[in-house]
Amino acid sequence: MKTVIVTDCPRADAAEIKRLAGFGVATVHEALGRVGLVGAGIRPIQHDVRAAGNAVTVLSRPGDNLMIHAAVEQCRAGDFLVVATTSPSSDGMFGELFATALQRRGVRGLVITAGVRDTSELRRLQFPVWSAAINAQGTVEATAGSVNVPIVVGGAVVRPGDVVLADDDGVLVVPRERVGDALAASEAREAKEALTRVAFRDGQLGLDRYGLRSVLADQGVDYVAWEDQQGR
């Protein structure tokens, strides 16, 4: 594996990221055609937090956080640190001290395929984290990896400068070139859902609003009275 630290990567527009952060992961995921979700293996350590930012990526050896130290230098305000390991690891590669350093640089949060520790302190600092594990097991700083190269997190490829959106529902990666598309599609979806919400409050059924009765009929589903069903 070639080990590099790539500097001055392109980033998405900060104003567009701020607007995108107003939508939830589920809304943007659906609006983009259900792509970019990292999957259920990466979960938040906190509740009721939504964050978005440009990805600064780290490819690290398992149990070794040397490249996280290197990545801190590459982070700017509005970034989101995203860490993957070259093979599966649940070691606690990130904790309070890293969070303190990243907060000083204006970093929005962390996504990591390995473990984190000092979770109480991380919540106290209000530094958002989405991780694959919580584990007190410490690590070393011994083996080189890479910073700002494409990495894989769960089911998504994350490139430097892509936009990471994360909340209670999970983590979504939006390619930097598609942020504008994501905004337009999310706004349209949210407007549509607002109308549906009003309809449901007024008593309309999803079966009728979404035209699902014909789907049931096409699938051969019959409505049968309870009394008739007992005799079968």
Side-chain angles (χ1 to χ4, degrees), residues 47-132:
H47 296 291
D48 300 323
V49 172
R50 183 181 297 169
N54 291 291
V56 170
T57 63
V58 178
L59 184 60
S60 180
R61 298 291 185 179
D64 193 310
N65 63 15
L66 174 63
M67 300 315 292
I68 299 180
H69 285 282
V72 172
E73 183 181 27
Q74 302 305 316
C75 288
R76 303 178 189 170
D79 285 345
F80 215 116
L81 189 63
V82 185
V83 181
T85 55
T86 56
S87 60
S89 174
S90 62
D91 293 342
M93 297 176 62
F94 185 98
E96 176 194 7
L97 296 180
F98 270 136
T100 300
L102 290 175
Q103 271 193 329
R104 175 65 178 81
R105 302 180 80 85
V107 173
R108 299 288 174 80
L110 168 77
V111 172
I112 184 168
T113 63
V116 298
R117 58 184 186 174
D118 304 332
T119 53
S120 178
E121 289 81 1
L122 292 174
R123 287 188 289 268
R124 177 180 55 80
L125 287 171
Q126 297 184 327
F127 185 82
V129 170
W130 287 258
S131 69

Side-chain angles (χ1 to χ4, degrees), residues 6-218:
V6 181
T7 64
D8 301 316
C9 293
R11 286 161 167 85
D13 181 75
E16 289 191 336
I17 294 175
K18 185 176 180 179
R19 288 173 57 201
L20 193 64
F23 301 101
V25 165
T27 294
V28 181
H29 179 234
E30 293 285 352
L32 280 177
R34 299 184 180 180
V35 295
L37 201 63
V38 306
I42 306 295
R43 301 302 304 156
I45 69 165
Q46 65 283 311
H47 296 291
D48 300 323
V49 172
R50 183 181 297 169
N54 291 291
V56 170
T57 63
V58 178
L59 184 60
S60 180
R61 298 291 185 179
D64 193 310
N65 63 15
L66 174 63
M67 300 315 292
I68 299 180
H69 285 282
V72 172
E73 183 181 27
Q74 302 305 316
C75 288
R76 303 178 189 170
D79 285 345
F80 215 116
L81 189 63
V82 185
V83 181
T85 55
T86 56
S87 60
S89 174
S90 62
D91 293 342
M93 297 176 62
F94 185 98
E96 176 194 7
L97 296 180
F98 270 136
T100 300
L102 290 175
Q103 271 193 329
R104 175 65 178 81
R105 302 180 80 85
V107 173
R108 299 288 174 80
L110 168 77
V111 172
I112 184 168
T113 63
V116 298
R117 58 184 186 174
D118 304 332
T119 53
S120 178
E121 289 81 1
L122 292 174
R123 287 188 289 268
R124 177 180 55 80
L125 287 171
Q126 297 184 327
F127 185 82
V129 170
W130 287 258
S131 69
I134 294 173
N135 192 351
Q137 177 63 51
T139 57
V140 298
E141 298 90 10
T143 308
S146 292
V147 175
N148 280 333
V149 297
I151 60 175
V152 176
V153 178
V157 174
V158 187
R159 302 170 307 159
D162 284 346
V163 173
V164 176
L165 176 63
D167 61 18
D168 285 357
D169 292 337
V171 178
L172 181 72
V173 181
V174 180
R176 179 171 52 86
E177 301 85 355
R178 295 204 65 194
V179 173
D181 295 338
L183 279 171
S186 298
E187 287 169 352
R189 182 174 181 84
E190 191 170 75
K192 181 179 179 181
E193 289 182 347
L195 294 175
T196 300
R197 190 175 298 110
V198 171
F200 284 174
R201 286 172 179 166
D202 288 341
Q204 186 177 21
L205 296 174
L207 285 173
D208 298 315
R209 186 165 186 83
Y210 300 136
L212 299 178
R213 294 191 187 278
S214 61
V215 177
L216 293 176
D218 290 344

